[in-house]
Amino acid sequence: MIAPLTVAVAVAALLLTAWCGYAAFRNQAVKDWHYLGMGVVLLLTLVQLAVGLVQLARGERPAGDGTAVFVSYLVAVALCLPVVAIVSLSERTRWGSATVAAGALVLAALQIRVADVWAGGVGGG
């Protein structure tokens, strides 16, 4: 897996966490520009998914035998923000912003597992 891409996704997700967390702290619902931020992070996750699948198609494999786990994490990462975006649309209060912040934090944590599984860490093989 490409380490700079994994780091970029994690950093972007943490920035989104802080941004939406601050909105929740200020008692604000998710605004259009938050959705734009989610779109940027989502784009990065889709690039990561595509890169991971291309690497698998070229015969590269995670260390150990964690291919199914690796693909599962990539798909979970790509679905994380769309799910919280839908929830935030139905919760037009500060809790919608808090939900997006929590989802983005989960996405950042999943990046650690994506890198760990690719490297053959615990649970990846």
Side-chain angles (χ1 to χ4, degrees):
M1 198 66 216
I2 300 173
L5 179 58
T6 303
V7 170
V9 173
V11 168
L14 289 173
L15 289 172
L16 183 62
T17 298
W19 190 20
C20 290
Y22 183 66
F25 176 76
R26 293 193 60 208
N27 203 26
Q28 296 176 341
V30 178
K31 306 287 187 206
D32 289 343
W33 53 82
H34 293 118
Y35 290 107
L36 182 63
M38 282 187 266
V40 169
V41 178
L42 178 62
L43 181 62
L44 286 171
T45 65
L46 293 176
V47 168
Q48 183 183 44
L49 175 65
V51 167
L53 293 177
V54 166
Q55 285 182 315
L56 291 173
R58 284 194 280 169
E60 297 177 47
R61 296 285 183 254
D65 190 26
T67 303
V69 173
F70 178 70
V71 171
S72 298
Y73 273 111
L74 287 178
V75 171
V77 164
L79 291 176
C80 196
L81 284 181
V83 169
V84 296
I86 290 168
V87 172
S88 73
L89 283 171
S90 66
E91 184 59 52
R92 301 298 288 169
T93 66
R94 70 183 294 178
W95 298 110
S97 295
T99 300
V100 174
L105 185 61
V106 167
L107 194 154
L110 286 174
Q111 291 306 298
I112 297 168
R113 286 298 296 148
V114 167
D116 191 39
V117 170
W118 184 259
V122 176

